[in-house]
Amino acid sequence: LAGYDINVVDTAAHQGKGLKWFLDNDIISNLVSSRRPDMVVLIIGGNDNVRVNGRTEGVSRETYEERLRTAYTQAAGTGRSVVWIGPATSQDSGVQARHEATRIVQQAVVPGLGARWIDGMPGSAPGPFQGDSNPSQRSHLTGEGYRRWACLLAPQVSGGGSSTSCPTTADPD
């Protein structure tokens, strides 16, 4: 987030984990209490599976909403600002359907909790930064894709500013 007046204190990545795992293992509350940030940015949901829009797999909408509430409460702690970024676009149709279902519920619930919700799909639309070079990774962006996705999301996370570390467009170099 260089150039956006945000000092990144720390990051934690746990690939392949859903929101339930983060809650069951107290990951969010432990990170927040040990690092004491002013703002918490959550990018959780890509591995969640919710029954909405005719989907028959996954947890009920009610169960997922409760998990979102719990995660927000843990992240917000004693007044922290919380930004929640929805899942990215995936070229894998099954993963994309899961991401769409998660997105629907997050978009409807997270803002009402007090967090700022940012749609992660527009900045990660199918294109040159999807993981085409490795068919088993079609559900993920490439390293450059993640960097550019972050650059597109940074102004929304910070509320403005101009980056000193991002390309001026999302087009490939």
Side-chain angles (χ1 to χ4, degrees):
L1 294 172
Y4 289 100
D5 297 325
I6 293 178
N7 179 27
V8 177
V9 175
D10 202 352
T11 62
H14 300 279
Q15 296 176 332
K17 305 297 183 189
L19 182 54
K20 182 180 184 319
W21 181 85
F22 281 88
L23 298 175
D24 288 349
N25 291 284
D26 295 318
I27 301 299
I28 298 168
S29 59
N30 287 339
L31 287 171
V32 169
S33 66
S34 67
R35 292 170 171 95
R36 296 184 200 83
D38 296 326
M39 174 192 286
V40 176
V41 179
L42 298 172
I43 307 175
I44 302 174
N47 290 299
D48 295 337
N49 203 1
V50 187
R51 292 190 310 258
V52 295
N53 283 359
R55 291 181 50 82
T56 58
E57 296 177 16
V59 299
S60 70
R61 181 179 179 127
E62 294 76 23
T63 297
Y64 192 62
E65 288 180 5
E66 181 56 36
R67 289 178 186 169
L68 293 173
R69 282 189 287 278
T70 301
Y72 171 77
T73 300
Q74 290 181 6
T78 56
R80 288 170 185 81
S81 172
V82 178
V83 176
W84 197 305
I85 299 171
T89 301
S90 175
Q91 289 188 34
D92 180 291
S93 62
V95 172
Q96 182 62 20
R98 191 176 69 222
H99 286 191
E100 287 285 354
T102 301
R103 174 192 197 197
I104 288 167
V105 180
Q106 285 186 0
Q107 190 172 36
V109 173
V110 170
L113 300 173
R116 191 158 29 106
W117 187 82
I118 299 171
D119 189 351
M121 289 192 182
S124 61
F129 303 114
Q130 293 279 342
D132 279 336
S133 60
N134 180 355
S136 69
Q137 292 296 310
R138 289 177 49 86
S139 62
H140 296 278
L141 299 172
T142 63
E144 179 64 8
Y146 278 116
R147 186 179 77 77
R148 289 175 183 255
W149 188 50
C151 287
L152 291 169
L153 294 169
Q156 296 174 71
V157 170
S158 70
S162 59
S163 174
T164 58
S165 64
C166 294
T168 56
T169 70
D171 295 331
D173 293 332

